[in-house]
Amino acid sequence: MTSDAITDIKTTGNVLLAATTGIGNSSTNGEIDLSVAGVAASSTDGGIYLRETDDIALISDFGRVVGLIASNSGDIVLTSDSGLVTVDNVVMANSGAIDVRAAAVDVSAEITGSGVQLVATGNVQVASGNQIISQGSGTTLLISGNSVSLGGGASSNETVRSEGGGTLSIVGTGAVITLDDHSIGSDGASIALDAGTQNITVNGTDTTNEIT
């Protein structure tokens, strides 16, 4: 998807998007172009495709919708051209993949999809007690940023977890990758951590596994 440089919805406040058969689409310029503070979006049978010009938060101000939900089918794609994406409410694609790209990504909620990619030119941070889960057979789970910091989880409920095999990759493109207790877990996925010329560091305890 590429932006057509025309803003579809602009407000200094928040926006709710709800549909049955999709919000935007995966074609060139098919996304909904936003310039808003926060968004909540829900689609029953169809994906959600959004592009924001700068910072954006996933909100729960509305009684009908919390975060980004593709209930039955469809992917979720959220792109910020130059800002921070704050994932502080759930992102879930029950039968689709999730792709979030931004200058930075800050996660303090659960993200679940049949494949998950979080890609930032700056930092990616996942707070302790939250999960990024890739479900389904042979899926891709990728977290890539200038630096990546993964908070602590629990056994079988790791912060970043692949539940259907495939690949699980953590990439630091310019700075460190930081792990905590039970940061990464897998049910058979190939796991790769690549910090390039930088370090992979640990904030957790000496007696607890960071990768399980």
Side-chain angles (χ1 to χ4, degrees), residues 147-205:
S147 69
V148 177
S149 176
L150 303 179
S155 179
S156 300
N157 289 287
E158 293 82 6
T159 303
V160 176
R161 180 170 180 79
S162 175
E163 295 188 339
T167 61
L168 191 165
S169 302
I170 310 296
V171 179
T173 57
V176 299
I177 295 172
T178 304
L179 306 178
D180 206 327
D181 295 339
H182 297 297
S183 284
I184 300 172
S186 159
D187 290 334
S190 298
I191 298 174
L193 279 71
D194 183 358
T197 60
Q198 301 300 316
N199 300 324
I200 299 172
T201 64
V202 175
N203 284 336
T205 59

Side-chain angles (χ1 to χ4, degrees), residues 59-97:
I59 60 167
S60 62
D61 300 29
F62 303 99
R64 292 176 56 194
V65 178
V66 175
L68 303 179
I69 307 290
S71 299
N72 294 333
S73 63
D75 299 333
I76 295 175
V77 179
L78 173 61
T79 302
S80 172
D81 291 332
S82 61
L84 165 68
V85 171
T86 302
V87 181
D88 48 8
N89 281 283
V90 64
V91 179
M92 181 169 57
N94 280 328
S95 298

Side-chain angles (χ1 to χ4, degrees), residues 76-79 85 87 98-102 105 111 117-120:
I76 295 175
V77 179
L78 173 61
T79 302
V85 171
V87 181
I98 295 169
D99 191 317
V100 177
R101 296 175 187 264
V105 180
I111 299 175
Q117 297 189 65
L118 306 182
V119 179

Side-chain angles (χ1 to χ4, degrees), residues 113-116 133-141 162-168 189:
S114 297
V116 177
I133 302 171
S134 182
Q135 301 174 326
S137 178
T139 60
T140 296
L141 200 167
S162 175
E163 295 188 339
T167 61
L168 191 165

